Amino acid sequence: PTGSAETNPQEHDIEYLTPVSIGTPPQVLNLDFDTGSADLWVFSSETSKSAVNGQTIYDPAKSSTAKKMQGYSWQIAYGDDSSARGDVYTDAVTIGGLTVSSQAVEVAKTVSDAFTSDSDLDGLLGLGFSTLNTVEPVQQKTFFEKARPELDAPVFTADLRAGAPGHFNFGFIDPGAYTGNITYAPVDNNIGWWVWTSSGYAVGSGAFTNTSSPSITDTGATLLLLPSSVVEDYYAQVTGSQYDHFLGGYTLPCNGSTPDFSFGVGDSGATITVPGRYIEYAPTSTSGKTCFGGIQADDGIGFSIYGDIALKAAFVVFDAGNMQLGWASK
Ligand SMILES: O[C@H]1CN[C@@H](c2nc(-c3ccc(C(F)(F)F)cc3)no2)C1
């Protein structure tokens, strides 16, 4: 089997939400697919009422196939210090026509304010490696890991678009979704993330700088976070850009003259080019003249974070069969 689901950008492409059916009869929630974590958690009938603010909830009591995992719990924190915690059920989960009959569905009892404020997001669906899963006493597998043995191929792909619907596909590579060749880089999954090595970068039409940097491909992250040396080199070539200490990041004119940013994949010289307009991320004020930069420093995380700003420019293959990450232009 295979699955194919449309994923929809929220305002400024801050995150992408994908409809997921849970339970019998199906309850459809819009989840944030996140290759940087490995918990599937949802707003639920158990979420404190004051923390629910427009989200669609999953109610296991209304599902004939829901089973409570007695004594199991979870608690998770994300890179921006948002967090959630609760209980665990198993139930049928279907994405784009692909069903896992007994998936661990983590129901939230409490969520941090940032989740309460994001009324469109009904939960997250982790697509990282389950060594990251937070369920105790026994870690649970992700939807992809549960589906993998049945899939036509042990892969899933991300095709995010700027300001338009894209797709998450499971079990197949759609040859119509990209141009040219897919270039693969080996993945090291030891710390649970999809870690690969970028080979270097170029600014606009400038020369390519060869510099290897360990990188994480994170569909749940909004921006492209790079080593500060690369970020300083980039913004040095962006007229009118500056570091805004109040906002804690670089800003630049949103006037359509921003240089592209290209990054290297593998050692064959293949590159992906992020159009400058993607790097004019979002206006910092109502005047709309200044934008927050889509490229920012990774500030000592030790890894570059290839989030949605970069993923919008590529067709990405998460190949667990060969432990490799494929990148193609589109
Ligand atoms: O932790 C890393 C794993 N992947 C990154 C990620 N971060 C979120 C997130 C989504 C929504 C919110 C909130 F709604 F604003 F609260 C917060 C964080 N989803 O994936 C970072």
Side-chain angles (χ1 to χ4, degrees):
T2 62
S4 180
E6 196 172 79
T7 188
N8 301 291
Q10 300 310 292
E11 193 183 17
H12 304 304
D13 300 347
I14 191 168
E15 63 198 11
Y16 288 75
L17 301 179
T18 309
V20 176
S21 293
I22 307 174
T24 313
Q27 300 178 44
V28 181
L29 278 69
N30 294 319
L31 305 185
D32 182 356
F33 285 17
D34 176 22
T35 56
S37 66
D39 285 51
L40 194 176
W41 74 262
V42 292
F43 276 79
S44 74
S45 49
E46 296 186 10
T47 310
S48 51
K49 293 294 166 281
S50 59
V52 182
N53 166 39
Q55 291 85 2
T56 299
I57 64 167
Y58 163 65
D59 184 351
K62 292 182 179 157
S63 170
S64 60
T65 41
K67 292 182 180 61
K68 187 168 169 58
M69 293 182 79
Q70 291 298 352
Y72 280 70
S73 65
W74 60 282
Q75 62 175 46
I76 197 163
Y78 295 96
D80 63 354
D81 290 336
S82 56
S83 61
R85 68 179 61 212
D87 297 326
V88 190
Y89 289 76
T90 56
D91 208 341
V93 173
T94 299
I95 300 175
L98 174 68
T99 296
V100 167
S101 53
S102 180
Q103 169 68 41
V105 178
E106 302 169 32
V107 304
K109 293 177 78 170
T110 52
V111 301
S112 62
D113 291 351
F115 283 114
T116 296
S117 305
D118 189 344
S119 52
D120 298 320
L121 179 148
D122 303 326
L124 268 85
L125 188 136
L127 291 171
F129 296 92
S130 53
T131 47
L132 289 174
N133 181 265
T134 73
V135 172
E136 293 184 334
V138 180
Q139 287 185 307
Q140 300 298 302
K141 288 186 176 178
T142 67
F143 174 85
F144 172 62
E145 288 169 344
K146 294 281 285 188
R148 181 179 158 182
E150 318 300 325
L151 293 176
D152 291 10
V155 304
F156 67 91
T157 65
D159 177 7
L160 304 184
R161 302 267 154 165
H167 286 87
F168 279 97
N169 293 339
F170 294 86
F172 74 105
I173 293 173
D174 176 359
Y178 63 91
T179 60
N181 298 318
I182 301 173
T183 301
Y184 288 93
V187 160
D188 170 356
N189 69 338
N190 277 326
I191 55 171
W193 283 323
W194 290 84
V195 179
W196 57 289
T197 300
S198 163
S199 60
Y201 72 97
V203 179
S205 54
F208 188 84
T209 299
N210 285 294
T211 172
S212 290
S213 101
S215 304
I216 297 170
T217 300
D218 188 346
T219 56
T222 307
L223 305 182
L224 170 53
L225 305 183
L226 298 167
S228 44
S229 56
V230 176
V231 176
E232 283 155 21
D233 185 9
Y234 177 77
Y235 284 110
Q237 301 178 59
V238 181
T239 310
S241 68
Q242 62 174 18
Y243 188 83
D244 181 319
H245 287 278
F246 178 74
L247 293 175
Y250 287 87
T251 62
L252 73 169
C254 8
N255 60 10
S257 64
T258 301
D260 299 344
F261 178 84
S262 300
F263 58 92
V265 179
D267 45 20
S268 62
T271 62
I272 298 289
T273 296
V274 180
R277 67 180 178 286
Y278 292 5
I279 300 162
E280 298 170 10
Y281 171 61
T284 60
S285 72
T286 48
S287 75
K289 284 168 55 66
T290 304
C291 275
F292 194 69
I295 287 175
Q296 299 293 344
D298 65 7
D299 276 349
I301 306 171
F303 295 92
S304 297
I305 308 269
Y306 281 73
D308 300 339
I309 291 284
L311 303 180
K312 287 188 271 194
F315 176 78
V316 189
V317 181
F318 295 79
D319 180 348
N322 301 301
M323 271 310 156
Q324 59 183 12
L325 200 67
W327 297 85
S329 298
K330 59 191 180 191

